[in-house]
Amino acid sequence: MDSGHQVSDHTVTHPLNLPALADAKIREEIGGAHDRIAQISGVAPKFFRSLGGAWSQRILDVATEHDMICIDWQVDPRDWARPGTTITDRLLRAQAGDILLCHDGGGDRSETIRALRTVIPALKQRGLTFVAL
C-alpha cells in the first residue's frame, strides 16, 4: 500500500473454527476476503494467515488458488488478551527469522504499543532486523 503497509487476508468474519467449516464456507471466508481487499484497495493480498494457527489442507488449497502464501507466526504474545507486561516478555523471546504476531485492532491496543516501544529497540540491539513480508 502507499504508506508501506502490507494488507493480508485473515477471512471475512473471523470464524475460529475455520478448518471445521464446509468447503463452500471456507472458500467464502478466504476468497471473499481476498476479493474484497483487492476490490477496495486495488491490491490483491499476497498472504493468508489462518485464525489461531488452525490449518487444514482445504484452507491451504483455497489460499493457494488465490495465489496467496500461507504464513504463521512463531511468537504469540497473546496481546489480544491484554496481559500487560507479558506482551513484552513474550516478544523478547524472538529469534532470527521469527514472525511476531501483534494485533492492531479489536479494542484498546495501548499495551501492545507500549510493549513494542521497548521490544523493537531491544531486538534491534540484539542484532535482529525487521523486514516486510
Side-chain angles (χ1 to χ4, degrees), residues 5-130:
H5 298 282
Q6 177 67 253
V7 177
S8 299
D9 188 332
H10 192 52
T11 71
V12 174
T13 66
H14 206 267
L16 295 177
N17 60 341
L18 186 62
L21 299 180
D23 286 352
K25 186 64 175 167
I26 290 173
R27 289 184 181 287
E28 179 183 323
E29 287 290 339
I30 297 171
H34 174 275
D35 294 348
R36 289 175 189 172
I37 292 166
Q39 182 180 27
I40 291 168
S41 72
V43 178
K46 296 178 188 176
F47 301 103
F48 174 75
R49 182 174 68 80
S50 195
L51 296 87
W55 297 94
S56 71
Q57 190 59 52
R58 291 180 304 182
I59 292 170
L60 296 169
D61 291 344
V62 172
T64 300
E65 288 170 12
H66 288 85
D67 296 321
M68 291 187 288
I69 299 167
C70 295
I71 59 169
D72 221 338
W73 65 91
Q74 288 75 29
V75 180
D76 179 3
R78 298 178 49 86
D79 61 333
W80 49 267
R82 297 186 52 199
T85 59
T86 60
I87 297 171
T88 301
D89 298 340
R90 290 175 178 164
L91 290 174
L92 287 173
R93 296 178 190 156
Q95 300 297 314
D98 284 352
I99 293 176
L100 287 65
L101 176 67
C102 292
H103 294 80
D104 63 352
D108 181 2
R109 299 276 49 107
S110 61
E111 291 183 30
T112 300
I113 293 167
R114 191 169 27 260
L116 290 172
R117 287 188 177 130
T118 299
V119 169
I120 292 171
L123 294 178
K124 285 182 174 181
Q125 189 169 1
R126 286 185 14 211
L128 299 181
T129 57
F130 293 83

